[in-house]
Amino acid sequence: MPLTARDGAVAHSGWAGLWARISADYTLGVLVLGVLVAVVWLLPFAVYRAWQGNWVAMGNDLVLSVLLSGAAGYAWRTGDTRGPGWVVALAIVGGIWAIGLAARFAALFWTYPGVLMLFFLVPPLPAVLLGVVAVGGAASLSWQELGGTEGLPFFVFTAMLTALLGYVVAQQAQRHITGWRALSLLDALTGVGNRRLLELELAQAAAKGQSLGVLAVLDLDHFKAINDRLGHDGGDAVLRGFAAVAQAVLRKTDRLYRLGGEEFVLWLPHGQRQTTEVLLQRLRAAVAAQLRTGDEQPVTFSVGVAEHACGEPWPACLARADAALYRAKRAGRDRIEWTATEPRQPARA
């Protein structure tokens, strides 16, 4: 069947998504690179070693291919690169030793990229220790190829220089990625989480199959009138003030996000109806006492609240809280409205 324009768009989107994930997580990028090494180089050489009857080298290439591919596949599916990073780092060191035992001088060539990759897979101190083990193994097993003590200092120095380069680049990349990630997940005006962070954290929590506690959607009352009276700068000051007061009242486990405009979402992972009611009343009192507009008018807000049912998709729970918010606004604002009914349970297969 010929490809349509839609198929081409999907394919392009798939490649764009692949590149976006690799660009956002350099550890995942190194793991994917390991898959390419396995497919393009190690697996063909495993076949070649088997044809030569060199079963030790064949087994080494095959085991490395399986470890690299398996670790990368797990990281791609789950988003967890910490465990796979350790697996691949240990496989690199073990592979260099195995290559040194099976092919002697070939271990020298693999030492440089191997040591460099370690700093992108595990923390700096373990990477240094593993690098020392890798260099020591390659040097001791390829002693004659190095020319004995004559070539050893040059090999060790260049290998350590490669390790230093890997450390510097990896640390710079980590700092930049951490900064970009923080900026992309925080609301620039208020400093609380944005919609993207809300979706990310709720999806991660829901994947564990546990109840999410309570979701509440908050909306500042008559915010358009505030903007009309004071301008956007005055409205922005109210939003920043509300976020500051809310964060001072909330507990460490509570999470606040700004959806956009004057609308916020409060996630209470361990919330129950009674404790949530007490917390929201405390927040209302704090806002009433501490927050004023630029023309000294009080600020109030309306809330819609929903208790998450185990197994309920989090967007459905959020939609119920949003519906309760609209009921609170229709009922006169400056009030807390809970969902009237629990979500309908899905029919069992």
Side-chain angles (χ1 to χ4, degrees):
M1 181 180 296
L3 287 175
T4 64
R6 180 179 181 274
D7 295 327
V10 171
H12 177 75
S13 175
W15 283 110
L18 172 67
W19 180 251
R21 288 194 64 183
I22 293 175
S23 301
D25 189 340
Y26 63 80
T27 303
L28 183 61
V30 173
L31 294 173
V32 172
L33 176 62
V35 175
L36 295 178
V37 171
V39 172
V40 174
W41 188 263
L42 293 178
L43 283 177
F45 255 87
V47 176
Y48 175 71
R49 300 298 189 191
W51 179 69
Q52 285 188 320
N54 189 344
W55 302 109
V56 175
M58 185 276 292
N60 175 59
D61 291 342
L62 190 59
V63 169
L64 281 176
S65 299
V66 171
L67 288 175
L68 293 175
S69 302
Y74 176 84
W76 188 265
R77 290 193 307 271
T78 64
D80 176 20
T81 58
R82 183 175 301 178
W86 274 100
V87 170
V88 173
L90 294 173
I92 288 173
V93 177
I96 289 173
W97 276 77
I99 292 171
L101 289 171
R104 300 297 180 185
F105 73 94
L108 301 175
F109 300 108
W110 285 104
T111 301
Y112 296 103
V115 167
L116 184 64
M117 292 172 68
L118 291 175
F119 289 92
F120 293 88
L121 297 169
V122 295
L125 181 57
V128 170
L129 297 177
L130 290 174
V132 170
V133 174
V135 172
S140 60
L141 295 171
S142 304
W143 181 265
Q144 294 181 349
E145 285 74 10
L146 284 171
T149 56
E150 182 178 353
L152 180 62
F154 295 98
F155 171 70
V156 172
F157 176 77
T158 53
M160 292 298 102
L161 185 61
T162 303
L164 178 62
L165 175 64
Y167 171 78
V168 172
V169 174
Q171 292 303 300
Q172 288 291 330
Q174 179 63 45
R175 279 194 287 270
H176 284 300
I177 289 175
T178 300
W180 294 335
R181 187 171 296 167
L183 290 175
S184 68
L185 297 177
L186 295 179
D187 177 59
L189 177 64
T190 62
V192 302
N194 60 16
R195 180 187 292 270
R196 183 179 178 186
L197 182 61
L198 165 71
E199 295 173 350
L200 178 65
E201 293 189 335
L202 288 181
Q204 289 177 345
K208 299 177 182 179
Q210 301 174 350
S211 173
L212 299 180
V214 171
L215 288 176
V217 183
L218 299 80
D219 188 271
L220 301 188
D221 295 328
H222 306 293
F223 187 75
K224 184 179 183 302
I226 296 175
N227 268 339
D228 291 341
R229 292 198 318 270
L230 306 176
H232 289 290
D233 289 343
D236 289 348
V238 171
L239 292 172
R240 287 193 295 266
F242 173 79
V245 172
Q247 287 180 303
V249 171
L250 298 178
R251 301 161 298 188
K252 291 183 178 180
T253 56
D254 301 331
R255 305 285 288 153
L256 181 67
Y257 313 89
R258 184 186 176 207
L259 285 187
E262 70 274 20
E263 195 167 66
F264 294 81
V265 170
L266 177 60
W267 175 32
L268 311 176
H270 308 293
Q272 297 176 346
R273 189 179 184 102
Q274 183 176 1
T275 56
T276 300
E277 188 75 31
V278 172
L279 179 66
L280 291 175
Q281 293 292 358
R282 187 184 306 134
L283 178 58
R284 291 180 67 199
V287 170
Q290 302 176 34
L291 190 58
R292 290 289 186 277
T293 63
D295 52 359
E296 294 301 316
Q297 296 297 314
V299 176
T300 62
F301 61 90
S302 305
V303 190
V305 194
E307 289 183 280
H308 179 254
C310 190
E312 179 189 17
W314 68 262
C317 183
L318 188 62
R320 292 194 296 115
D322 194 53
L325 169 65
Y326 278 94
R327 290 199 300 271
K329 294 168 71 173
R330 287 195 300 267
R333 294 184 170 86
D334 190 19
R335 58 187 293 126
I336 301 169
E337 186 76 26
W338 287 77
T339 51
T341 59
E342 291 300 315
R344 185 178 62 182
Q345 296 297 325
R348 294 185 179 180

